[in-house]
Amino acid sequence: MSLKAKRISITKSQCDEFNNNGFIIINNLLNSTEIEEYRSLYDRFLNGEIECKEMRSDLGKKDGQDITEIENVTQIMWPSVSVPELFKKPLHQRSLEISRQLLGEDAIFDFDMLIYKAPNGNTSTPWHQDAAYWPHMPDERAVSAWVALDQSTQDNGCMYFIPGSHRNGYRQHQFAETDGGSLECYVSENEAVFVELEPGSATFHHGLTAHHTPGNITSSHRRAFITNFRPAAMVKLEREMGFAHGLSGSVEDRKIRNDRFK
Ligand SMILES: O=C(O)CCC(=O)C(=O)O
């Protein structure tokens, strides 16, 4: 899958910051009209109007909890498969353009997802490196754009990062206490920084940067739209390994991932 990117420039100091800290903040990636469009699309996914079948799961499902009871943390993989026009729209286009400046011109789109924290859901996303969810790659360059469609705050689940953690390789992960499939790793929380964002703003983090989000304890939505980019050769390699972030058959993806934790 390839995307043609529109020009949006970031500064050298933003690239340096990404290389040093493992994440950067991009304010106003989307304007207010665009935010409204994405919110209404997002809500059509959430209310089932747009079909996403097995791509939807509860990332925060608690042991023994009936899946129909409540969704603690809604994860919808591959919204762009249901709505391919997304590729031509600003969120994907601008995120790709920024990712190319951060990683190099060989970066291409790998996958996208929605992660939603409902009002008062109060379920945190454990500390992890995204790369723990993927097969190990010989080229570890990867970036995720986490775009806030609502104001994101400490109280509703904004992103927390461990600055510089992407420079220390893979951390050991285990399955989190929930059985929703989340992985978690140990971090020193006193090293963490949090990033509150206005709607339409974003963080871009490296695949090895340790991060987490707390639960939503407010009465408002927390809607995040995430796109991921990596070198074209690594996307090709992933697909050759049968790994497509749940697309080519979640069973195979899960098997590759679980084999790493045996
Ligand atoms: O939105 C969240 O709760 C977690 C997001 C996340 O882990 C990611 O984008 O890599």
Side-chain angles (χ1 to χ4, degrees):
M1 233 173 269
S2 70
L3 276 178
K4 194 167 168 293
K6 245 181 15 194
R7 290 309 305 174
I8 173 169
S9 287
I10 58 169
T11 62
K12 176 168 180 320
S13 82
Q14 285 174 305
C15 285
D16 291 345
E17 194 183 330
F18 179 80
N19 290 332
N20 285 331
N21 289 340
F23 68 94
I24 52 166
I25 300 165
I26 300 287
N27 286 316
N28 306 316
L29 185 79
L30 303 174
N31 66 33
S32 53
T33 313
E34 291 161 349
I35 294 166
E36 282 313 321
E37 281 172 19
Y38 281 101
R39 281 179 177 165
S40 86
L41 180 78
Y42 205 105
D43 291 347
R44 288 170 60 216
F45 274 104
L46 289 178
N47 68 23
E49 205 179 306
I50 300 177
E51 186 80 66
C52 47
K53 291 188 183 141
E54 74 282 0
M55 293 296 151
R56 181 172 185 151
S57 64
D58 181 0
L59 197 54
K61 183 164 124 42
K62 314 271 194 303
D63 259 343
Q65 184 183 30
D66 185 337
I67 190 88
T68 57
E69 263 174 49
I70 188 176
E71 255 175 9
N72 299 284
V73 180
T74 304
Q75 182 179 38
I76 297 176
M77 296 302 296
W78 288 102
S80 58
V81 166
S82 306
V83 184
E85 307 84 70
L86 277 167
F87 287 121
K88 298 197 188 89
K89 290 186 176 289
L91 188 151
H92 285 65
Q93 296 260 334
R94 293 173 196 156
S95 299
L96 171 66
E97 180 64 19
I98 290 169
S99 298
R100 286 197 169 148
Q101 292 167 69
L102 293 173
L103 297 185
E105 282 301 315
D106 59 341
I108 63 166
F109 172 83
D110 188 8
F111 69 96
D112 51 8
M113 62 179 168
L114 312 178
I115 299 188
Y116 169 66
K117 295 201 174 193
N120 299 306
N122 197 11
T123 306
S124 67
T125 306
W127 283 102
H128 66 280
Q129 296 167 304
D130 292 337
Y133 284 90
W134 311 325
H136 285 203
M137 293 281 112
D139 181 341
E140 287 162 345
R141 284 177 296 148
V143 64
S144 290
W146 190 97
V147 183
L149 295 184
D150 301 292
Q151 188 168 37
S152 106
T153 65
Q154 287 182 84
D155 282 348
N156 75 1
C158 70
M159 289 284 264
Y160 282 61
F161 298 101
I162 305 291
S165 49
H166 65 303
R167 289 190 264 112
N168 298 320
Y170 286 88
R171 290 174 188 233
Q172 194 179 347
H173 283 70
Q174 59 192 27
F175 285 108
E177 274 174 17
T178 59
D179 68 357
S182 298
L183 297 174
E184 69 181 342
C185 65
Y186 171 78
V187 302
S188 305
E189 291 216 356
N190 57 5
E191 293 171 24
V193 297
F194 63 87
V195 180
E196 295 188 324
L197 294 172
E198 291 301 316
S201 294
T203 53
F204 283 67
H205 66 269
H206 190 281
L208 285 169
T209 305
H211 59 283
H212 113 109
T213 62
N216 183 359
I217 55 168
T218 72
S219 54
S220 313
H221 302 289
R222 197 233 60 180
R223 290 167 287 196
F225 199 134
I226 298 140
T227 47
N228 178 276
F229 305 87
R230 69 180 67 225
M234 295 302 104
V235 175
K236 184 166 178 282
L237 181 60
E238 276 184 335
R239 302 300 189 264
E240 282 166 2
M241 294 168 82
F243 187 85
H245 304 274
L247 184 62
S248 64
S250 15
V251 176
E252 189 57 26
D253 281 4
R254 212 162 266 260
K255 184 175 170 317
I256 290 173
R257 198 178 83 198
N258 290 358
D259 281 352
R260 300 213 355 249
F261 292 96
K262 271 183 185 157

mmCIF file of all heavy atoms in Angstrom, residues 16 36 38 63 76 140:
data_model
loop_
_atom_site.group_PDB
_atom_site.id
_atom_site.type_symbol
_atom_site.label_atom_id
_atom_site.label_comp_id
_atom_site.label_asym_id
_atom_site.label_seq_id
_atom_site.Cartn_x
_atom_site.Cartn_y
_atom_site.Cartn_z
ATOM 1 N N ASP A 16 16.095 16.427 15.603
ATOM 2 C CA ASP A 16 17.080 16.129 16.654
ATOM 3 C C ASP A 16 16.375 15.693 17.939
ATOM 4 O O ASP A 16 16.810 14.761 18.626
ATOM 5 C CB ASP A 16 17.942 17.366 16.949
ATOM 6 C CG ASP A 16 18.862 17.703 15.777
ATOM 7 O OD1 ASP A 16 19.027 16.837 14.881
ATOM 8 O OD2 ASP A 16 19.387 18.834 15.748
ATOM 9 N N GLU A 36 -13.437 17.844 12.896
ATOM 10 C CA GLU A 36 -14.860 17.476 12.916
ATOM 11 C C GLU A 36 -15.139 16.305 11.975
ATOM 12 O O GLU A 36 -15.892 15.388 12.304
ATOM 13 C CB GLU A 36 -15.751 18.670 12.550
ATOM 14 C CG GLU A 36 -15.937 19.659 13.682
ATOM 15 C CD GLU A 36 -16.293 19.005 15.026
ATOM 16 O OE1 GLU A 36 -17.075 18.040 15.047
ATOM 17 O OE2 GLU A 36 -15.756 19.458 16.050
ATOM 18 N N TYR A 38 -12.990 13.963 11.016
ATOM 19 C CA TYR A 38 -12.442 12.725 11.589
ATOM 20 C C TYR A 38 -13.270 12.239 12.780
ATOM 21 O O TYR A 38 -13.448 11.051 12.967
ATOM 22 C CB TYR A 38 -10.968 12.914 11.994
ATOM 23 C CG TYR A 38 -10.038 12.826 10.803
ATOM 24 C CD1 TYR A 38 -9.536 13.964 10.214
ATOM 25 C CD2 TYR A 38 -9.702 11.595 10.246
ATOM 26 C CE1 TYR A 38 -8.704 13.894 9.102
ATOM 27 C CE2 TYR A 38 -8.875 11.512 9.129
ATOM 28 C CZ TYR A 38 -8.380 12.669 8.567
ATOM 29 O OH TYR A 38 -7.573 12.579 7.461
ATOM 30 N N ASP A 63 -9.622 -10.186 32.922
ATOM 31 C CA ASP A 63 -9.759 -11.640 33.041
ATOM 32 C C ASP A 63 -11.178 -12.026 33.432
ATOM 33 O O ASP A 63 -11.721 -11.485 34.389
ATOM 34 C CB ASP A 63 -8.812 -12.153 34.143
ATOM 35 C CG ASP A 63 -7.573 -12.755 33.523
ATOM 36 O OD1 ASP A 63 -7.606 -13.055 32.326
ATOM 37 O OD2 ASP A 63 -6.584 -12.905 34.263
ATOM 38 N N ILE A 76 -9.580 -0.548 17.257
ATOM 39 C CA ILE A 76 -10.055 -0.937 15.919
ATOM 40 C C ILE A 76 -8.858 -0.863 14.980
ATOM 41 O O ILE A 76 -8.321 0.231 14.733
ATOM 42 C CB ILE A 76 -11.206 -0.025 15.441
ATOM 43 C CG1 ILE A 76 -12.409 -0.191 16.394
ATOM 44 C CG2 ILE A 76 -11.598 -0.355 13.992
ATOM 45 C CD1 ILE A 76 -13.594 0.719 16.101
ATOM 46 N N GLU A 140 15.262 -1.200 12.666
ATOM 47 C CA GLU A 140 14.244 -0.909 13.688
ATOM 48 C C GLU A 140 13.605 0.465 13.554
ATOM 49 O O GLU A 140 12.835 0.890 14.419
ATOM 50 C CB GLU A 140 14.869 -1.038 15.082
ATOM 51 C CG GLU A 140 15.124 -2.476 15.469
ATOM 52 C CD GLU A 140 16.107 -2.598 16.617
ATOM 53 O OE1 GLU A 140 16.804 -1.609 16.932
ATOM 54 O OE2 GLU A 140 16.171 -3.698 17.177
#
